[in-house]
Amino acid sequence: MTRFNPRESILLEWLILLFRILKPLLEPRAFMSDFKKYHCLECEHIYDEAQGDPDSGIAPGTRWEDIPDDWECPICGAPKSFFKLME
C-alpha cells in the first residue's frame, strides 16, 4: 500500500495549473502561418497577430477578432476601429 505524500499532491496541482495556462499556446491555431497584420490609420503602428501585443496583455498568436473592442493602439491610443487590414 502506498502512502499519501502531500508534496506529490501539490506538484500535481501545479502541473494542472501549468497545463491550463499553456494549453491555449499549444492549440493548432497558434502554429498556423496565415497570421494577418493590421495598421493604425493614425500613427501607422502595425499589429501583427503572430507577435501580439504583450505589453497590453495580448499574447502572441492572438487573432484580431479575439482582441477586446476597447483595446487601443499602444502608440497613439487610437481605438481598435482605426486599424485596417494590410493587404
Side-chain angles (χ1 to χ4, degrees):
M1 177 182 250
T2 58
R3 296 181 57 187
F4 174 74
N5 184 340
R7 281 192 228 159
E8 289 176 2
S9 175
I10 292 171
L11 178 61
L12 181 59
E13 288 178 29
W14 276 102
L15 288 174
I16 291 170
L17 178 63
L18 182 61
F19 176 76
R20 288 181 181 158
I21 291 169
L22 294 178
K23 184 179 176 190
L25 298 175
L26 300 175
E27 292 178 0
R29 176 171 107 163
F31 298 105
M32 294 172 56
S33 62
D34 63 341
F35 290 118
K36 297 175 183 160
K37 294 180 181 181
Y38 295 80
H39 73 279
C40 177
L41 298 175
E42 288 290 317
C43 71
E44 296 299 318
H45 171 73
I46 296 173
Y47 174 78
D48 183 343
E49 291 178 335
Q51 295 179 1
D53 183 16
D55 293 338
S56 299
I58 308 295
T62 301
R63 299 294 181 179
W64 183 252
E65 60 269 11
D66 296 332
I67 295 176
D69 289 335
D70 63 348
W71 178 82
E72 298 176 342
C73 176
I75 304 301
C76 70
K80 181 180 173 185
S81 62
F82 278 46
F83 280 75
K84 297 298 175 200
L85 176 63
M86 295 177 70
E87 301 291 334

